[in-house]
Amino acid sequence: MLTVKPEPQPSGDDAARVAITARRRRILSGDWKEDARIYTAKHYAREGLDYLPPVTIERNPLKNLTGQLATLYDVAPTVTIPSAPAQDVSALVTPRLLALWPQILFMVIGLNECAVRVDRLPDGRIAYRMVTPDVLREVIPDDNEPDRPVALRELRWLRRPGRVGWAYEV
């Protein structure tokens, strides 16, 4: 039998950041019915909950407004390497990245930040994956510019032959 350890939980201020960002991500993705039920239960007496209409998630102002704002871009994303601005990175900007851009912009507006992981596959192709802030566990800054990240530590659910579970990717 395969046993899987539970997701490692952050502590302190990081735990609050992860919880709030995860809730905002659920609202943006439309998967927030349980959050709405918990919120309603906190604000009404248990006896009164039976008289309330069922929780509905059809109206979602955050998702609607964020979606409208995310369609307002008119400039393609700029990809650079800060340590080597003259280096040609055109191989990284493929149509797959441009196709992912509206979703990335949607999450940047809705969550205030978002990262894109770029991987080179064994066959030489470039793969992009959006990384939301609720799964980032550590951001490693540049020694000379603390506001600029040089590496991200991300918590991911991985499935490998014979192994499954939570893992950190840098």
Side-chain angles (χ1 to χ4, degrees):
M1 181 176 166
L2 185 64
T3 59
V4 178
K5 294 180 181 177
E7 176 182 346
Q9 296 298 316
S11 59
D13 291 340
D14 210 30
R17 176 192 62 83
V18 167
I20 290 168
T21 307
R23 184 176 64 230
R24 287 179 66 105
R25 185 183 44 77
R26 287 190 302 271
I27 291 171
L28 289 172
S29 68
D31 187 28
W32 59 287
K33 192 168 191 166
E34 184 65 17
D35 293 308
R37 190 194 63 73
I38 291 169
Y39 180 84
T40 304
K42 281 183 185 177
H43 290 84
Y44 291 94
R46 200 170 349 139
E47 301 82 24
L49 288 175
D50 295 335
Y51 299 103
L52 292 175
V55 173
T56 179
I57 59 172
E58 281 85 31
R59 292 185 304 268
N60 189 339
L62 177 64
K63 183 178 180 180
N64 293 340
L65 291 172
T66 303
Q68 290 172 5
L69 290 172
T71 60
L72 297 178
Y73 73 93
D74 60 353
V75 177
T78 303
V79 179
T80 60
I81 300 175
S83 60
Q87 187 171 353
D88 180 26
V89 292
S90 59
L92 294 178
V93 183
T94 67
R96 298 178 91 189
L97 174 63
L98 298 178
L100 190 61
W101 188 247
Q103 186 180 4
I104 295 166
L105 185 60
F106 179 79
M107 286 297 177
V108 167
I109 293 170
L111 301 176
N112 297 328
E113 59 186 344
C114 186
V116 177
R117 183 179 179 93
V118 180
D119 288 318
R120 179 175 290 274
L121 301 175
D123 62 2
R125 290 182 298 137
I126 303 288
Y128 305 97
R129 186 168 43 82
M130 186 174 56
V131 180
T132 56
D134 57 321
V135 295
L136 289 178
R137 292 301 190 253
E138 183 180 10
V139 178
I140 302 159
D142 185 351
D143 292 335
N144 298 324
E145 296 180 54
D147 291 344
R148 188 172 60 107
V150 293
L152 304 172
R153 190 168 175 226
E154 169 196 4
L155 183 65
R156 278 192 75 193
W157 178 256
L158 293 178
R159 292 182 185 178
R160 301 279 190 250
R163 289 186 357 203
V164 68
W166 294 101
Y168 290 105
E169 279 194 331
V170 178

